[in-house]
Amino acid sequence: MAADREPIGVIGTGYVGLVTAVGFAELGSDVVCVDIDAEKIARLERGEIPIYEPGLTELLEKNRERLTFTTDIAVALERARLLFVAVGTPPTYSGDADLSAVHAVVAAMPASDQHALVMKSTVPVGTGAAIKRTFEQQGKGGFRYVSCPEFLKEGTAVADFLRPDRVVVGDDGDWAGDAVVELYRPLLNAEHGGQGPEAPLGELVRTDIASAEMVKLASNAFLATKISFINEIANVCEETGADVLEVARGMGLDERIGPKFLKAGIGFGGSCFPKDVTALKQLAGNSGYHFQLLNSVIEVNELQKRRVIGKLEKHLGTLVGKRIALLGLAFKPNTDDMREASSLVLAARLQAAGATVVAHDPIAAEVARPMLRGVEISDDPLGAAKDADAVVLVTEWQEFRDLDLAALRETMAGDVLVDGRNALDGAKAAAAGLRYEGIGRPAQLPAAAATTA
């Protein structure tokens, strides 16, 4: 990459900050990464990644000479004029975003007309305007502000950064917005000057700050709505005998709908969808508007996780004293993120119903262990299923898709398999002697059981 690329600072070395920093280093920028957690900074200096994200460790090692890790924000201010803010904005008890970390960054900024904050953190619409007012009140009116929301998917974040479908830049039409666009230029399509050995895919959306902030929240809320909608369709399919996989396939061929996020299951989780849907609903309420649709999206998602209990009781009766194995703990494959994971709700509900719970996850087990009190953690899926009355597939890791179903049945005490992600072949499960229950799909029973049903 070109040696004259603009250096940047990245404040916050969590999921978004670290991927952003390593991604820009890959493009040729020198990057100063700032975090208040001295232990995390020390680990990063040793090349240790505190999160699991495919490809990130290799990319950090490749670009070590371009990356500086420090707890001193003055180092970033000295070396870079663009400071990307990637601090956490978790929900408060009221559902509003907790902006205390963002405010701490704003307070730490000096009076300068040579610097700009570039907001990567997901913040409510109006945050940019409020920060600009704060700068004015503190005599820092020359400090610029840009909204540049992230659209990284856990498990594919490195590829999402380097091959984005869009780059959104919200600004006041000044040098700061221009500089951010230039940083992303190699990733934009030819219309916006992109270059490279592969055809860049990113479309540039240059807009005002408030609209850029809304793009992020609206995007995640819409995707969550698609998930809750297909889950509602799946529930109706169970009542009518239709197969939601066939329904989704037929729907997804309509280019106005598309196939993505039409995968029925036990609900969405993670760090983005639950938080952003709630934040947008709360933002609307604070503005005087009742966002009825999002209330339903949230309610459907919560109820969907609990439908597994009904499926288990259908086959086992009371769950008191039953042994239930959960395959998968992370909220999705290829990550160790346990935030809002369906496994947390399922484990708690099963224990409350009197069941013994054992679980396995290929990556997230150690992260999950302190969150799952009373849950036995197994080192392998068949170990988790040993002597289980029922197995529930919670996270569609590839190793579970490839599981030997006959071996699974042999190690179990019972024969109930609830596929919470519709990731398995029901006919093959039945052939292996399992009672298969998917989500929105006809049940598949072993031949002997089917003749007596």
Side-chain angles (χ1 to χ4, degrees):
M1 291 294 175
D4 59 351
R5 292 236 345 142
E6 175 138 14
I8 65 167
V10 175
I11 304 173
T13 59
Y15 190 89
V16 173
L18 199 52
V19 173
T20 299
V22 173
F24 276 126
E26 172 69 7
L27 293 179
S29 290
D30 289 330
V31 184
V32 179
C33 303
V34 184
D35 202 293
I36 61 173
D37 188 335
E39 182 180 350
K40 183 189 289 186
I41 289 297
R43 290 183 62 189
L44 288 168
E45 286 180 324
R46 295 194 298 268
E48 299 175 10
I49 300 287
I51 59 173
Y52 177 79
E53 178 61 37
L56 188 57
T57 298
E58 293 81 0
L59 211 59
L60 182 146
E61 185 61 33
K62 176 184 175 183
N63 295 286
R64 285 284 293 273
E65 73 282 357
R66 295 195 183 106
L67 292 159
T68 300
F69 298 99
T70 180
T71 58
D72 188 356
I73 202 168
V75 177
L77 286 164
E78 178 183 352
R79 299 187 190 178
R81 59 176 185 166
L82 296 177
L83 304 173
F84 284 75
V85 180
V87 297
T89 56
T92 63
Y93 288 115
S94 68
D96 295 290
D98 181 356
L99 298 180
S100 57
V102 171
H103 294 320
V105 172
V106 172
M109 294 301 102
S112 170
D113 59 3
Q114 302 296 318
H115 290 88
L117 285 186
V118 184
M119 189 59 62
K120 277 289 178 189
S121 300
T122 302
V123 295
V125 181
T127 300
I131 289 175
K132 288 165 61 180
R133 286 195 300 271
T134 299
F135 280 150
E136 290 286 350
Q137 293 164 1
Q138 296 177 349
K140 306 174 184 176
F143 218 104
R144 300 292 90 195
Y145 183 89
V146 178
S147 174
C148 185
E150 56 86 15
F151 301 98
L152 306 176
K153 301 184 294 294
E154 294 190 40
T156 60
V158 172
D160 291 341
F161 181 92
L162 296 173
R163 300 277 292 166
D165 48 19
R166 80 278 208 194
V167 173
V168 178
V169 177
D171 70 302
D172 294 321
D174 54 28
W175 68 264
D178 293 341
V180 172
V181 171
E182 285 305 312
L183 277 175
Y184 279 101
R185 186 76 66 188
L187 307 179
L188 300 174
N189 67 23
E191 179 182 349
H192 304 294
Q195 303 174 21
E198 299 180 352
L201 297 178
E203 293 291 336
L204 175 64
V205 179
R206 183 109 183 239
T207 184
D208 60 276
I209 292 170
S211 296
E213 292 169 338
M214 182 62 87
V215 167
K216 170 64 175 180
L217 293 176
S219 295
N220 279 351
F222 182 76
L223 295 176
T225 300
K226 286 188 75 173
I227 295 171
S228 282
F229 178 82
I230 199 62
N231 280 337
E232 287 277 72
I233 294 296
N235 298 339
V236 177
C237 284
E238 292 184 1
E239 300 298 324
T240 60
D243 187 333
V244 74
L245 292 187
E246 295 302 305
V247 174
R249 184 164 68 97
M251 290 174 59
L253 292 172
D254 187 328
E255 64 180 13
R256 297 169 299 175
I257 299 174
K260 294 183 178 180
F261 289 85
L262 287 182
K263 297 185 184 300
I266 53 178
F268 57 78
S271 62
C272 292
F273 284 7
K275 175 174 72 74
D276 291 353
V277 170
T278 300
L280 182 53
K281 186 196 79 165
Q282 193 69 18
L283 174 68
N286 293 344
S287 303
Y289 181 74
H290 180 56
F291 208 141
Q292 298 183 64
L293 179 60
L294 290 188
N295 283 326
S296 297
V297 169
I298 295 168
E299 181 181 7
V300 168
N301 193 57
E302 289 305 308
L303 293 175
Q304 196 70 13
K305 298 172 185 177
R306 290 163 170 77
R307 287 181 66 85
V308 171
I309 305 300
K311 290 178 178 292
L312 291 171
E313 291 174 338
K314 167 185 168 183
H315 292 281
L316 302 177
T318 178
L319 298 182
V320 174
K322 298 298 193 299
R323 185 175 178 86
I324 311 298
L326 303 181
L327 297 186
L329 294 171
F331 88 93
K332 65 180 288 189
N334 299 318
T335 180
D336 60 355
D337 197 339
M338 287 293 298
R339 286 174 287 185
E340 301 290 335
S342 296
S343 61
L344 299 175
V345 175
L346 282 177
R349 292 300 306 141
L350 288 167
Q351 288 176 312
T356 297
V357 182
V358 60
H360 168 72
D361 189 286
I363 294 296
E366 291 309 309
V367 176
R369 194 181 296 274
M371 305 178 190
L372 296 170
R373 294 182 179 178
V375 174
E376 179 185 337
I377 305 295
S378 176
D379 291 334
D380 64 88
L382 293 182
K386 182 175 176 56
D387 298 327
D389 295 287
V391 169
V392 181
L393 178 67
V394 182
T395 313
E396 61 275 35
W397 287 95
Q398 188 61 45
E399 76 168 70
F400 301 151
R401 292 177 180 271
D402 298 336
L403 200 59
D404 184 333
L405 296 177
L408 179 69
R409 173 65 185 93
E410 185 176 345
T411 195
M412 293 172 62
D415 62 358
V416 178
L417 172 61
V418 178
D419 182 1
R421 298 298 178 185
N422 290 340
L424 303 175
D425 186 318
K428 289 182 179 179
L434 292 161
R435 294 174 183 262
Y436 175 88
E437 284 270 357
I439 306 296
R441 308 186 67 194
Q444 298 276 352
L445 303 178
T451 57
T452 59

